[in-house]
Amino acid sequence: MRRLSQTQIRTWRTCPQKWKQVYLEGRREPPAPPLTFGSAVHSGLETFYRNRTAAPATPEEMLASFDDVLDRSAYDSDQAFERARDDGHAMLQAWYERHAPEFRPAMAVELALRYDIDDVPMISILDRVDLTATGRLRITDYKTGRFFLRDTARESQQLTLYQIAAEEKLERPVESLSLVHVPSDTEWEVPRRTAAEIDEVRRVVVDTANQIEQGAFEPRPGRHCEWCHVRPWCPAFADHYPENWPEQPDILQLSRDEVAELADALGQALSRKKQAEREIADLRDRLTSWFEVTGERAAAGSEFRIRATRSERDDDRVSWRLTPVELEPADEESRGEPV
Ligand code: SF4
């Protein structure tokens, strides 16, 4: 079974066809400003907390990490890229000034955990894990989008998966889950998920994995199609991109039901052929035995006359050639194929 992530589960539940295009056909999202900006900010924060000593990384180190990741190709112009770079630097500088005085090294940053949910292999990458004063875990996830909803921390399926992953792999209970909106430096911390909330997410994971195994990749059109990067290859939008959808040969336009009928018909025909071959072999054996014993070389019925030709080969083996001739009402003969 394929290893799943929260992003894959969310993509499938939004649109199975999109999941297929991205994860089976390999049509990954091209570099886009929000994605590369988010990755670069994560990298800067990872550098800040990665330091195991009592001091965080310097602002210069954070900004260098940011610059290493920010992808110029995602931006339309040098100006847009420079603006994003300045915004990112300002954001990380502000983070340093506010959080350096209270710095404590994280237990782990950008921690990739592989685990199972009821036999479904999963992977989660946790932005930051801290050890609390009581020896429990506090998990933090960073958000860098422009808008952010307060309730997300209570409802985030991603945070629930993080709790499941961390408790299984780090073998400590989770105390709290936290979402941090980096642009506004705002944090929402909520208590650990309840058993019922965890069961619900487990059910969603298993249900999604089963649907993926069944492989029905139906397009699910909706508002999300407006910003879907695989739309040019989506069957629901084939009319909009005729260059990607050349006319299919007739044979490819058969429905599943028609293909099923063809399969049955071929199976039945082959089965009849096998039965006929057995009958031919039996009749041929009996007639050649009769020709052999009687010395006759023809046998006539009401519809066919069978002509027999006997030949002996160099190795003394005998072979018979039997040729059916169809009898016309006026007894006119026409030649048949040997059997
Ligand atoms: S365009 Fe819409 S229906 Fe098609 S794959 Fe994308 S999200 Fe799904």
Side-chain angles (χ1 to χ4, degrees):
M1 192 179 278
R2 182 186 185 96
R3 189 172 293 282
L4 299 180
S5 64
Q6 156 66 15
T7 308
Q8 286 199 50
I9 291 170
R10 191 183 59 225
T11 303
W12 176 274
R13 298 193 88 79
T14 303
C15 175
Q17 174 64 210
K18 180 169 182 178
W19 184 92
K20 176 188 177 220
Q21 295 286 347
V22 173
Y23 297 105
L24 291 189
E25 308 289 341
R27 296 198 164 101
R28 299 297 167 132
E29 193 156 4
L35 290 180
T36 187
F37 185 81
S39 300
V41 170
H42 276 73
S43 179
L45 294 176
E46 180 186 354
T47 299
F48 180 81
Y49 285 103
R50 195 191 302 124
N51 209 336
R52 292 255 165 238
T53 67
T58 65
E60 290 73 25
E61 288 170 325
M62 293 173 74
L63 303 194
S65 299
F66 176 91
D67 289 346
D68 284 347
V69 174
L70 195 68
D71 184 350
R72 167 67 186 87
S73 70
Y75 294 89
D76 290 342
S77 63
D78 287 342
Q79 291 88 332
F81 175 67
E82 290 302 329
R83 217 169 24 246
R85 193 163 169 268
D86 290 347
D87 286 350
H89 284 192
M91 207 178 280
L92 292 174
Q93 187 73 43
W95 185 276
Y96 181 87
E97 284 164 14
R98 176 160 170 201
H99 295 279
E102 63 193 32
F103 176 79
R104 287 182 54 214
M107 180 183 179
V109 287
E110 295 294 320
L111 178 65
L113 296 177
R114 290 174 172 76
Y115 56 105
D116 290 345
I117 291 185
D118 296 345
D119 293 335
V120 179
M122 297 286 298
I123 182 166
S124 290
I125 300 176
L126 284 56
D127 287 345
R128 194 175 101 219
V129 182
D130 293 301
L131 208 52
T132 67
T134 58
R136 298 175 180 217
L137 303 175
R138 181 166 174 271
I139 298 172
T140 300
D141 191 51
Y142 303 123
K143 298 294 176 195
T144 56
R146 204 179 305 172
F147 303 108
F148 188 72
L149 298 174
R150 175 186 296 266
D151 285 345
T152 310
R154 295 195 192 289
E155 295 164 0
S156 164
Q157 182 175 284
Q158 186 177 25
L159 286 181
T160 313
L161 286 173
Y162 289 174
Q163 177 174 324
I164 295 171
E167 292 193 334
E168 182 183 322
K169 303 308 282 190
L170 304 181
E171 298 178 346
R172 285 175 185 267
V174 167
E175 185 171 302
S176 65
L177 302 162
S178 176
L179 280 185
V180 173
H181 185 233
V182 184
S184 61
D185 200 356
T186 309
E187 178 167 12
W188 287 277
E189 188 173 358
V190 294
R192 57 179 281 112
R193 298 290 197 250
T194 64
E197 287 167 332
I198 286 177
D199 282 348
E200 173 59 17
V201 170
R202 283 182 175 275
R203 190 193 61 72
V204 170
V205 168
V206 172
D207 182 52
T208 305
N210 287 338
Q211 289 180 31
I212 290 174
E213 284 290 297
Q214 286 161 17
F217 306 112
E218 293 299 323
R220 196 173 290 157
R223 271 205 62 200
H224 45 262
C225 298
E226 283 175 31
W227 54 87
C228 174
H229 72 282
V230 299
R231 194 160 58 161
W233 300 278
C234 172
F237 288 86
D239 292 349
H240 296 59
Y241 303 92
E243 68 279 12
N244 286 348
W245 295 87
E247 209 158 291
Q248 300 286 319
D250 287 349
I251 198 72
L252 289 183
Q253 294 180 12
L254 292 177
S255 69
R256 286 266 161 205
D257 287 347
E258 288 168 325
V259 172
E261 278 175 26
L262 287 181
D264 280 343
L266 176 61
Q268 288 160 7
L270 289 173
S271 165
R272 285 196 302 274
K273 182 182 172 205
K274 214 168 175 178
Q275 172 67 20
E277 285 170 349
R278 276 198 294 267
E279 282 178 28
I280 289 169
D282 179 52
L283 294 168
R284 194 177 186 288
D285 280 353
R286 293 174 67 190
L287 266 177
T288 50
S289 297
W290 184 80
F291 290 133
E292 187 74 61
V293 171
T294 61
E296 303 223 22
R297 291 296 177 262
S302 59
E303 297 173 44
F304 288 91
R305 180 194 305 260
I306 305 295
R307 288 207 302 243
T309 308
R310 185 180 190 280
S311 51
E312 283 183 24
R313 303 200 312 222
D314 290 345
D315 57 1
D316 290 339
R317 292 177 63 183
V318 171
S319 72
W320 285 91
R321 178 185 173 87
L322 303 186
T323 307
V325 177
E326 194 168 358
L327 300 178
E328 295 296 330
D331 206 17
E332 184 184 333
E333 292 189 353
S334 61
R335 295 192 66 81
E337 292 292 321
V339 290

